[in-house]
């Protein structure tokens, strides 16, 4: 194992580093949460990652997304994230998909080839489809609930969807999954009540009519790092 992961190996051992090196993880959504998931998984030595997102880096992403800097504005997020991964670990394998994940595009992906799936997308339709496909393939999945309009990074919890509270997105997901016969899903969610964002400035590229949530550098990043930690732990434990 390359010495770039020596400090991690000191904590988890050589055998577990091999498990991470041999693992393949799909991250759907490379934004404020997903970008930090990818970063932490790459720095943990995960050997193969599939990155799925059709969006490009925007200047309004710079306040919170690890892949967003002036030089990456206008570039596809999956391409920028791949470059970061390869710079962290040149031996990694990265597959990129400029795809917006919805039921209509689900057929592009074989969930049976993944050791773990991370749901860091925003749309309920896409999230539900991800969970359904992962469950059909018996592939472990962890889903990010709402991180927008939040200010307290200490309010995140890892919980089964059936035990969540406060979070409106978790409530919708809980209800819709139950209709589909799915009672359990590991999620990261916040117990903080969402703030009401101030009026946005449309001239600066933020559109009030779209109900764009406010966000910051320290809430979505924490959610992403928590998710990455769960993925690493579960792969090591074989869960």
């Amino acid at each position: 194992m390359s010495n770039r992961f020596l400090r991690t190996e000191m904590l988890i051992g050589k055998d577990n580093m091999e498990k991470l090196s041999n693992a393949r993880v799909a991250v759907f959504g490379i934004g404020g949460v997903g970008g930090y998931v990818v970063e932490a998984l790459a720095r943990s030595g995960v050997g193969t990652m599939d990155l799925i997102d059709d969006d490009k880096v925007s200047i309004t992403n710079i306040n919170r997304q690890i892949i967003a800097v002036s030089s990456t504005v206008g570039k596809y997020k999956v391409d920028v994230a791949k470059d970061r991964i390869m710079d962290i670990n040149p031996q990694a394998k990265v597959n990129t998909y400029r795809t917006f994940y919805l039921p209509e595009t689900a057929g592009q992906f074989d969930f049976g080839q993944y050791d773990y799936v991370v749901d860091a997308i925003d749309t309920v339709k896409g999230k539900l489809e991800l969970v359904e496909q992962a469950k059909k393939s018996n592939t472990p999945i962890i889903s990010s609930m709402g991180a927008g309009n939040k200010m307290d990074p200490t309010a995140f919890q890892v919980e089964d969807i059936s035990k969540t509270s406060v979070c409106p997105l978790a409530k919708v997901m809980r209800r819709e999954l139950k209709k589909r016969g799915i009672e359990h899903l590991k999620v990261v969610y916040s117990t903080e009540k969402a703030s009401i964002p101030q009026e946005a400035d449309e001239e600066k590229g933020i559109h009030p009519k779209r109900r764009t949530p406010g966000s910051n550098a320290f809430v979505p990043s924490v959610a992403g790092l928590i998710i990455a930690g769960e993925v690493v732990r579960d792969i090591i434990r074989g869960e």
Side-chain angles (χ1 to χ4, degrees):
M1 180 61 61
S2 172
N3 62 6
R4 71 187 65 223
F5 301 120
L6 178 63
R7 298 297 181 94
T8 306
E9 186 175 311
M10 290 168 63
L11 288 174
I12 67 176
K14 184 176 181 179
D15 290 345
N16 287 327
M17 283 304 308
E18 288 295 328
K19 289 180 182 178
L20 294 174
S21 178
N22 293 328
R24 183 174 182 177
V25 178
V27 181
F28 289 81
I30 315 298
V33 174
Y36 277 90
V37 174
V38 170
E39 183 83 5
L41 293 181
R43 293 184 186 276
S44 298
V46 171
T48 303
M49 277 188 272
D50 287 34
L51 312 179
I52 302 93
D53 197 312
D54 77 330
D55 202 9
K56 293 179 180 179
V57 176
S58 165
I59 196 167
T60 59
N61 299 151
I62 290 177
N63 79 314
R64 69 194 183 284
Q65 298 187 15
I66 194 167
I67 61 170
V69 293
S70 296
S71 62
T72 63
V73 169
K75 297 180 180 180
Y76 280 98
K77 291 181 178 180
V78 292
D79 296 341
V80 177
K82 178 178 180 177
D83 288 344
R84 285 187 67 89
I85 294 171
M86 300 309 298
D87 213 13
I88 292 166
N89 180 14
Q91 296 179 334
K93 296 179 182 179
V94 184
N95 306 301
T96 59
Y97 302 84
R98 297 174 181 175
T99 301
F100 188 61
Y101 189 85
L102 285 170
E104 295 78 13
T105 57
Q108 298 179 33
F109 303 95
D110 174 12
F111 282 72
Q113 64 188 331
Y114 302 133
D115 295 291
Y116 219 106
V117 170
V118 173
D119 159 30
I121 62 177
D122 297 327
T123 63
V124 173
K125 281 187 178 180
K127 296 175 90 68
L128 292 170
E129 183 69 23
L130 274 178
V131 177
E132 286 193 279
Q133 293 300 326
K135 296 295 184 180
K136 287 178 183 177
S137 300
N138 292 318
T139 304
I141 182 171
I142 186 168
S143 186
S144 173
M145 297 292 102
N149 296 329
K150 305 291 179 73
M151 289 293 293
D152 184 2
T154 70
F156 283 107
Q157 296 185 15
V158 180
E159 191 57 89
D160 187 88
I161 189 74
S162 64
K163 298 179 180 178
T164 56
S165 61
V166 181
C167 177
L169 177 57
K171 181 179 179 180
V172 172
M173 288 291 293
R174 189 169 62 243
R175 182 186 68 233
E176 294 302 317
L177 287 172
K178 190 173 183 179
K179 291 179 183 178
R180 293 160 172 77
I182 299 174
E183 300 283 348
H184 301 288
L185 170 68
K186 180 185 275 194
V187 301
V188 171
Y189 83 106
S190 175
T191 58
E192 177 189 3
K193 185 176 180 181
S195 302
I196 299 175
Q198 298 181 34
E199 185 176 354
D201 187 341
E202 193 165 8
E203 292 183 359
K204 295 180 180 179
I206 303 174
H207 305 283
K209 293 181 180 179
R210 298 180 189 174
R211 297 183 181 179
T212 302
S215 193
N216 52 53
F218 45 85
V219 169
S221 57
V222 168
L225 294 175
I226 291 172
I227 289 172
E230 291 296 309
V231 173
V232 168
R233 187 187 67 173
D234 288 349
I235 289 173
I236 287 174
R237 294 181 178 180
E239 297 179 359

